[in-house]
Amino acid sequence: MEPFIQLHSDLVSLVIKLRPAPEVLYWGKRIDTIAQHQWPEFESSQQRAVPQARLDHDVPLTLCPELGRGSFGSSGLEGHRQGRASMPRFDYVSHSQHTNQVEILCQDSLAQLSLSIQLELHPTGTLTKRIQLTNLAEQVYSLNKLALTLPVPFRASELESYHGRWSREFQAQRQSINHSAWLVENRRGRTSHEYFPGCLVGNKGFSEQQGEVWSFHLAWSGNHHFRAEAKSDGRRFVQAGEWLIPGEITLAKGQTYTTPELIASYSAQGINGIRVANHRYVREQVLPFSADKVRPVHLNTWEGIYFDHDPDYIRQMATQAAAMGVERFIIDDGWFKGRNNDKSSLGDWTLDKSKYPDGLNPVIDHVNALGMEFGLWVEPEMVNPDSDLFRAHPEWLLACEGYIQPTGRYQFVLNLQNRDCFNYVFNCLDSLLTEYNIGYLKWDMNRELAQPTHQGIGAVHGQTTALYRLIDQLVAAHPEVEIESCSSGGGRIDYEILKRTCRFWTSDCNDALERQTIQKHMGIFFPPEVMGAHIGPHHSHTTRRTHDINLRGLTALSGHMGVELDPVKESEDEKRAFAKYIALHKQYRELLHSGESFYLDSTDPSRLAYGVTKADCSLIMVCQLAMPDYALAEPLLLTGLEHDARYRIRLVDYLETSLQLMKASQSWWEEGQIDLTGEWLMACGLNLPILDPEACLLLEVERLE
């Protein structure tokens, strides 16, 4: 049997030594296939010295590092049987391989535990990993931790992670990883605004276009932990897994625990290579809708009317929304009985007849007659104390018996692991989708899990898997209905929930300036077509800032576009401006939602230059976030063009008031377009007009025949 495994894609290679336990020897840029007879030399080249004053033998950094083997960093597995079997050491047993999929079996016969390590290198160059732990003993095994570990090379010394809070998700921070560790633990019961379960690790100073980068994302919607560690001998690794409440997972004989999936990508072309790999992976392996299904432009009523529902007025909103080019009309919170504020009625999922005396169908019929799909907001996992459901079933709470459960957003969480509760929630949703022509559910989840237990035992894992079952069962019953994952905005954004949903509400913040940063970093892991991006009102409801429609419209252009407003109250000029950017989005939607996304490096941190390219056409956005460092704009150096080909650059959109910042000139933007060679655009670049702070311009780059 071969002593090693090798997996290759067009851009990436992975080489694993199997004995004594599986260990990654190489993961990075594609290398030539290793012949069997060459292996001794390759293996010899990777033999490590054994330092003084340490163990007298080499200790491999395996795919599940073990303290019992003398790996003194973070262990991959932690658990015990009433204190015993806490120091397992897994040895390779066997493996099976089918093209680029491999399963490696390891076992510790003394601890009576077995591991199944499953790896796949996808054609996109993305590596996925999952581990299954099985208890082989009669006595129950208490699992504290089972983490997914992947090594990175010595030169990967800088880490970028993503923190945040409500209305300010996906904020990046950089730090060196040269000694000790970086650690994040999310215990909020959902993916969280605070700690996105993903990070980048690369060589020092890696940028959008330069450097080697490895990315990691844990596909899981509950608690998680992430760690990047540099050992004292210089070896480094990234580790991620589900963060388990003590006692949450116990395995009887023959029972198995399976980790969430870790998705990892490698790029030799900076973060842009990671974007391409991750977007291709999501489009090919994750999205539940076909690539040719158009992502319709939304109007969501929340910031327009909040809880003030009047069917006649809502029909007026729909009429004017359709006139602006909206394709999907969503009624947000406030449609169900007694729901006049956020303090009551969650859980009572029947129509409020006092607001809708003729029922919901007249509104839906009106929306459909205008050529729009109808959508509805729900928050099925929650209940208000002031609700018929809570008064009838207080025992359905996800709570710790004997304690007073704290409310969050004036609501409690329902225990979906309770069969009767689960069936009630499913039947409510099933009835809504059966009775009404609803094509879309905006599924919200507005609070963390406090003291989450089921039958007295920690239960975030069970709640998360029950949620997946609920959505899966609902989609199976109503396969044409699409679901949006919203959690006070960006609180539940990950690949596993995306397998069941078609869109994320990226953030409750529609301030376009804040959205530029949020969307940039979210876009490292997720393609634009799943990133809900709305044109908000002139005056932001979350930050109180005001922005021109230029910034608001172009910021929303590249995502899954929507608008968040009451069109009845808007001026005719504002509605025409909204219609303009909706039409512009539709003009470029196929390119935006199928092309390769990229960002361009800039010496001025106050400027973002980014775009999308496909075949012979590109769109490039330049956003001036704040006052620039210099009086002249940095020339725009394009990338990925053919040297000898000629390209037409056209100025598509620009804030006209910015012209007041410049004197008249003979620059190309006065004509609105210019033709240049690819070589010139990549080597010398293109001078740009001066932009106001908090303003954007949009360029189209098209290859000429």
Side-chain angles (χ1 to χ4, degrees), residues 224-443:
H224 64 258
H225 63 90
F226 250 83
R227 183 183 185 96
E229 182 172 331
K231 294 163 65 72
S232 63
D233 61 19
R235 287 182 290 174
R236 299 145 198 274
F237 62 88
V238 173
Q239 196 174 75
E242 181 182 9
W243 186 86
L244 297 172
I245 297 172
E248 186 169 14
I249 300 293
T250 56
L251 302 177
K253 183 178 181 179
Q255 286 188 329
T256 295
Y257 167 81
T258 304
T259 66
E261 195 166 48
L262 180 65
I263 293 90
S265 297
Y266 164 79
S267 166
Q269 289 81 40
I271 301 174
N272 282 340
I274 296 294
R275 290 177 189 275
V276 171
N278 286 343
H279 293 187
R280 283 186 60 199
Y281 173 78
V282 169
R283 286 166 174 165
E284 295 177 14
Q285 303 292 331
V286 178
L287 292 185
F289 57 85
S290 61
D292 57 356
K293 188 172 184 181
V294 172
R295 304 289 86 209
V297 175
H298 285 198
L299 184 142
N300 191 67
T301 63
W302 178 243
E303 288 191 3
I305 59 172
Y306 292 104
F307 296 102
D308 186 14
H309 286 224
D310 178 323
D312 291 335
Y313 192 83
I314 289 173
R315 283 193 287 267
Q316 292 181 53
M317 293 176 69
T319 298
Q320 298 200 27
M324 293 191 305
V326 170
E327 298 162 309
R328 180 183 275 160
F329 186 88
I330 299 116
I331 291 182
D332 208 284
D333 198 356
W335 60 268
F336 47 101
K337 67 175 184 178
R339 185 68 165 176
N340 298 311
N341 53 52
D342 59 357
K343 297 182 179 180
S344 74
S345 305
L346 282 177
D348 300 340
W349 300 110
T350 57
L351 189 67
D352 191 324
K353 294 297 181 66
S354 67
K355 294 181 180 180
Y356 295 88
D358 298 323
L360 195 56
N361 278 322
V363 174
I364 296 175
D365 292 344
H366 182 74
V367 168
N368 294 157
L370 292 166
M372 296 186 294
E373 184 181 89
F374 179 79
L376 197 65
W377 178 93
V378 291
E379 192 174 4
E381 298 156 74
M382 301 295 163
V383 63
N384 286 120
D386 182 9
S387 67
D388 292 344
L389 178 62
F390 180 74
R391 285 184 281 271
H393 291 289
E395 76 279 7
W396 283 2
L397 294 193
L398 184 68
C400 192
E401 187 176 354
Y403 293 88
I404 297 174
Q405 171 71 195
T407 55
R409 305 255 307 211
Y410 311 107
Q411 60 198 48
F412 295 131
V413 183
L414 290 170
N415 183 3
L416 298 179
Q417 297 149 99
N418 179 303
R419 185 183 299 274
D420 292 337
C421 180
F422 181 99
N423 290 337
Y424 169 83
V425 173
F426 172 80
N427 290 333
C428 286
L429 297 172
D430 181 57
S431 296
L432 280 171
L433 297 178
T434 301
E435 182 177 357
Y436 301 114
N437 184 24
I438 298 170
Y440 188 80
L441 287 179
K442 180 182 177 184
W443 186 306

Side-chain angles (χ1 to χ4, degrees), residues 567-630:
V568 177
K569 293 178 182 175
E570 294 295 342
S571 69
E572 291 301 317
D573 285 345
E574 186 77 347
K575 283 187 284 192
R576 279 193 294 270
F578 272 76
K580 167 190 169 182
Y581 285 99
I582 290 172
L584 193 63
H585 172 78
K586 291 179 179 179
Q587 177 184 344
Y588 292 111
R589 179 162 52 189
E590 194 279 331
L591 167 62
L592 291 165
H593 291 175
S594 63
E596 291 187 355
S597 298
F598 62 88
Y599 274 69
L600 300 175
D601 289 333
S602 177
T603 59
D604 183 354
S606 69
R607 184 180 90 168
L608 295 180
Y610 58 96
V612 60
T613 185
K614 183 179 180 181
D616 295 328
C617 186
S618 302
L619 277 183
I620 298 177
M621 192 99 61
V622 179
C623 181
Q624 191 65 48
L625 304 175
M627 282 290 286
D629 284 347
Y630 304 106

